[in-house]
Amino acid sequence: DTGVSQDPRHKITKRGQNVTFRCDPISEHNRLYWYRQTLGQGPEFLTYFQNEAQLEKSRLLSDRFSAERPKGSFSTLEIQRTEQGDSAMYLCASSWGTTNTEAFFGQGTRLTVV
Amino acid sequence: TQLLEQSPQFLSIQEGENLTVYCNSSSVFSSLQWYRQEPGEGPVLLVTVVTGGEVKKLKRLTFQFGDARKDSSLHITAAQPGDTGLYLCAGGDYGQNFVFGPGTRLSVLP
């Protein structure tokens, strides 16, 4: 297993366009998390899944954001009608179990909205 | 809402020096993780501590979890330029998501 994989690594889009990111977690990890990180800050929680169920969503996740994990494996994060404030690194992480002892991150997707 | 604070925010030292960075919260966590992140990359997990008072060593890095499981420290002995990066602590709670601190940006000068 090669760890958490995110695609694409970089995305430049025009304001108003929709973008979709993909995350493939470590196989057999039942939990998957999405975080957003802006320059100089720590990661901010967006949402997480246990298997295919979305268990928690941050208030940061506006109506323009949606995440899915249809089969409990890979996940997608879609941002509709992107705004310049959406420019950030979007990080995906996965973990095993239900007691949250540790999470492993992918390399992230850097989004730039111009 | 659980919050984590980290200090110092920035630290610049010479190669060979020792340093300690701190992670503090008013909340109790079931576990605490330390990550190192380099520019343009995702955080890389260094260690997880779960027991109050626990001390873990990873080569020149020593991690301690506070007795009350509200705080943690990371001590680096004889820092090297390769230690340069953003050090993040994250608290985990049963059934909840991970909460991150803002990080300590370490620069080790040769």
Side-chain angles (χ1 to χ4, degrees):
Chain A
D1 186 51
T2 57
V4 179
S5 177
Q6 292 189 245
D7 182 68
R9 289 292 311 278
H10 305 275
K11 178 71 176 180
I12 300 174
T13 190
K14 292 184 178 180
R15 192 170 46 188
Q17 297 295 305
N18 299 343
V19 294
T20 300
F21 310 140
R22 177 179 170 124
C23 172
D24 287 90
I26 293 172
S27 57
E28 299 181 354
H29 275 192
N30 59 339
R31 285 200 165 188
L32 186 149
Y33 309 81
W34 285 100
Y35 286 83
R36 180 174 69 186
Q37 186 177 28
T38 53
L39 204 60
Q41 302 296 319
E44 296 175 296
F45 170 74
L46 293 178
T47 188
Y48 86 93
F49 295 83
Q50 182 163 309
N51 299 313
E52 65 276 9
Q54 189 172 19
L55 295 189
E56 188 176 349
K57 290 171 60 174
S58 165
R59 283 171 290 180
L60 292 174
L61 214 66
S62 75
D63 292 343
R64 297 184 297 107
F65 288 69
S66 63
E68 293 183 342
R69 195 184 183 199
K71 297 183 180 180
S73 56
F74 73 92
S75 176
T76 58
L77 177 68
E78 180 183 17
I79 309 174
Q80 296 182 325
R81 305 181 303 282
T82 53
E83 302 172 356
Q84 285 190 320
D86 297 331
S87 296
M89 174 78 90
Y90 289 83
L91 295 164
C92 175
S94 69
S95 68
W96 169 250
T98 58
T99 57
N100 282 358
T101 55
E102 57 192 18
F104 296 89
F105 280 82
Q107 292 181 303
T109 294
R110 167 73 64 188
L111 173 65
T112 302
V113 182
V114 297
Chain B
T1 301
Q2 296 174 310
L3 294 174
L4 281 167
E5 298 177 345
Q6 292 189 246
S7 61
Q9 187 177 0
F10 299 97
L11 186 57
S12 182
I13 61 171
Q14 292 294 132
E15 182 175 2
E17 292 183 358
N18 301 334
L19 67 113
T20 302
V21 299
Y22 301 92
C23 174
N24 297 286
S25 175
S26 58
S27 301
V28 175
F29 291 98
S30 61
S31 67
L32 197 138
Q33 296 79 43
W34 283 93
Y35 294 82
R36 182 170 66 217
Q37 186 178 26
E38 298 189 15
E41 302 292 330
V44 175
L45 181 66
L46 296 174
V47 79
T48 298
V49 285
V50 296
T51 304
E54 182 176 6
V55 176
K56 281 192 174 180
K57 292 192 175 183
L58 184 66
K59 297 183 179 178
R60 295 176 293 102
L61 279 60
T62 301
F63 305 84
Q64 184 162 9
F65 202 12
D67 291 340
R69 291 187 287 132
K70 292 183 179 181
D71 55 85
S72 181
S73 63
L74 159 59
H75 180 79
I76 301 179
T77 303
Q80 298 177 1
D83 296 326
T84 293
L86 179 67
Y87 287 81
L88 295 160
C89 66
D93 200 5
Y94 296 107
Q96 304 297 321
N97 68 83
F98 293 91
V99 176
F100 278 83
T104 291
R105 189 163 298 280
L106 173 66
S107 178
V108 182
L109 305 174

